[in-house]
Amino acid sequence: MIDVKATLKQSEERMEMAVMYLDDQLAHIRAGRANVAILSGITVDSYGSKVPLNQVANVSVTDPRTISIRPWDKKMIKDIEKAIMASDVGITPENNGEVIRLGIPQPTEERRKDLVKQCNKFSEKAKIEVRNVRSDIKDKLKKAIKDGLSEDNEKDAEADLQKVHDKYIKKIDDLLAAKNKEIMTV
């Protein structure tokens, strides 16, 4: 027979993963403010192997519009610049021989609207995942009735599942609203 509490706990964990995915995706969207997360996917050729940028340089935000990258080995500057140019960050690096600076431009109104659409797509993916989890668990509960779970327990579990679902949908909406506000703030 199915363990209702364990099943609900499992569903909550899966929904939490969807929220974490959304949070990670939103962190990579450049909203006009400097954020080192936009560089997290960049890998650099270092002595014959590809390594993440933060393993060959110190990456920091010096002011709201500037990210500075200080390579530990000054010979790496060209490789780091090449990796940034090849990525989809869309910012041209400037270097003074010791430090690479990325000036974060203020996005145009049209670009802001595109970023909001992109955020909405990520949000919808996360919501779909949360709904799919709810659907899977509902199916498990329906099958459990055949295995001996009482209908009252099944209805209670379904109500609890709906509460968990609503909680995570609200979290997704809150994350999206915060990111949209950040993007649209000039």
Side-chain angles (χ1 to χ4, degrees):
M1 187 150 111
I2 190 171
D3 182 358
V4 175
K5 285 189 177 178
T7 304
L8 289 175
K9 182 89 174 132
Q10 175 191 11
S11 70
E12 193 164 355
E13 287 171 3
R14 287 175 57 196
M15 289 179 190
E16 181 65 36
M17 293 298 283
V19 172
M20 288 168 57
Y21 161 81
L22 175 65
D23 197 26
D24 183 55
Q25 292 300 316
L26 293 180
H28 288 80
I29 293 178
R30 186 165 44 95
R33 264 189 226 112
N35 181 353
V36 295
I38 64 173
L39 301 176
S40 64
I42 296 177
T43 56
V44 179
D45 279 325
S46 175
Y47 303 106
S49 61
K50 291 262 189 192
V51 294
L53 176 61
N54 63 359
Q55 290 184 8
V56 294
N58 182 23
V59 182
S60 60
V61 175
T62 51
D63 65 57
R65 296 237 172 272
T66 309
I67 296 175
S68 65
I69 304 164
R70 184 178 298 273
W72 293 315
D73 181 359
K74 301 220 183 321
K75 297 174 192 163
M76 295 295 300
I77 284 184
K78 292 287 181 212
D79 292 328
I80 292 171
E81 280 187 325
K82 221 180 286 182
I84 292 170
M85 294 296 281
S87 73
D88 61 351
V89 173
I91 302 171
T92 305
E94 306 162 12
N95 88 60
N96 63 6
E98 288 184 21
V99 178
I100 299 170
R101 285 189 173 66
L102 300 178
I104 310 294
Q106 189 72 16
T108 63
E109 187 68 26
E110 186 177 319
R111 177 71 177 136
R112 288 175 204 271
K113 289 178 180 173
D114 288 344
L115 290 172
V116 167
K117 284 180 187 174
Q118 191 178 358
C119 291
N120 289 339
K121 284 180 186 173
F122 288 132
S123 163
E124 195 52 42
K125 273 186 184 177
K127 284 182 180 180
I128 287 170
E129 179 57 27
V130 168
R131 290 181 192 124
N132 286 344
V133 170
R134 179 184 61 180
S135 177
D136 291 349
I137 301 301
K138 272 187 172 181
D139 290 346
K140 278 185 181 179
L141 292 171
K142 296 271 187 237
K143 288 177 185 169
I145 290 176
K146 295 175 186 169
D147 295 338
L149 182 69
S150 73
E151 285 190 28
D152 288 343
N153 286 349
E154 188 266 343
K155 289 294 179 201
D156 291 344
E158 226 173 87
D160 291 343
L161 178 64
Q162 187 62 41
K163 286 178 190 169
V164 170
H165 167 269
D166 294 345
K167 176 178 120 181
Y168 283 99
I169 291 294
K170 183 171 180 354
K171 275 187 177 182
I172 290 170
D173 288 339
D174 292 347
L175 278 173
L176 179 65
K179 188 65 176 185
N180 285 346
K181 182 180 177 197
E182 180 185 333
I183 290 171
M184 296 311 281
T185 303
V186 179

